[in-house]
Amino acid sequence: MSQIEHHPNQETILSYAAGSLPAALAIVVGCHLQYCPACRVSVNAGEALGADLMMELSPQTLSTRARESVLAQLDMDLREVAEVSQSRVLEAAENASVNVGAPEAIPRLLHQFLQEDSFDALPWKKTLAPGLKQIIINCDEGDVRLLRIAAGKKMPVHSHRGSEITMILRGGYSDSLGKFNAGDVADLDSATEHQPVADSDEDCICLAGMDAPLAFRGWLARLMQPIVGM
């Protein structure tokens, strides 16, 4: 894997460390952490800062009603606790091994959702956009998609109604923000409009997490959006 040049922004890292990042975005950040020692250090620093702030809080006595409410929450059905949540994403990311020597491998955090060992073995489904295939990953908080852009092909021009974090897993693409290679992350908000173009020599496979649908510029892309689901 080439040297990583694009990382999640600091606000995203701190939200991830605090456990407040929506699961769709946290999955992408967790995969990036498998390959990026610098961001792992930042997450650890954020967790330590949060722990220090907690230690400085003055303890408060709970009323009987508040104490009963807390105990009731602790007794919630274990089946509900087992649902995909931010805590599960963080735990899986922490247990993921660093595997920088195998860029073709599916990141361990992502593997638990896909149950395959290689990108080429996945059941890719065509979208209505030429040269674009996808796999939808079930997530309770936001939208997670594995995208495969054919070599030399373009994504439709789009902006974002919310936040989007995309990590390149294989190949690369270029857009108005620069060149993104395997391991790089594009951390985008509603102020960004771009059109990723896959490298000409290899399909670009990337993992995209969104907390709101994309906003396509062209009328045809907007017309297809309800069908494609992005």
Side-chain angles (χ1 to χ4, degrees), residues 127-141:
T127 70
L128 296 181
L132 179 63
K133 299 178 181 179
Q134 68 175 343
I135 294 174
I136 300 174
I137 298 173
N138 292 328
C139 179
D140 289 344
E141 300 175 323

Side-chain angles (χ1 to χ4, degrees), residues 58-71:
S58 300
Q60 300 292 326
T61 302
L62 287 176
S63 66
T64 301
R65 183 175 181 179
R67 183 167 59 252
E68 290 175 351
S69 176
V70 170
L71 292 175

Side-chain angles (χ1 to χ4, degrees), residues 12 16 18 32 37 50 61-62 69 107 123 134 152 159 162-163 173 190 198 201 204 207 210 215 220 229:
T12 298
Y16 182 91
H32 174 73
T61 302
L62 287 176
S69 176
Q134 68 175 343
S159 56
S163 297
Y173 74 67
S190 58
D201 59 345
C204 176
L207 179 67
M210 295 163 275
L220 181 58

Side-chain angles (χ1 to χ4, degrees), residues 60-142:
Q60 300 292 326
T61 302
L62 287 176
S63 66
T64 301
R65 183 175 181 179
R67 183 167 59 252
E68 290 175 351
S69 176
V70 170
L71 292 175
Q73 292 180 34
L74 293 175
D75 289 335
M76 74 165 49
D77 195 310
L78 291 178
R79 288 173 297 179
E80 295 179 7
V81 178
E83 292 177 355
V84 175
S85 63
Q86 174 69 10
S87 59
R88 176 185 169 190
V89 171
L90 290 173
E91 179 181 0
E94 290 169 357
N95 292 332
S97 62
V98 179
N99 193 18
V100 294
E104 296 298 313
I106 294 175
R108 181 169 297 182
L109 172 58
L110 190 57
H111 182 272
Q112 68 176 334
F113 296 96
L114 300 173
Q115 304 300 317
E116 291 289 353
D117 295 323
S118 72
F119 294 115
D120 294 326
L122 294 173
W124 295 96
K125 296 182 179 180
K126 293 182 179 180
T127 70
L128 296 181
L132 179 63
K133 299 178 181 179
Q134 68 175 343
I135 294 174
I136 300 174
I137 298 173
N138 292 328
C139 179
D140 289 344
E141 300 175 323

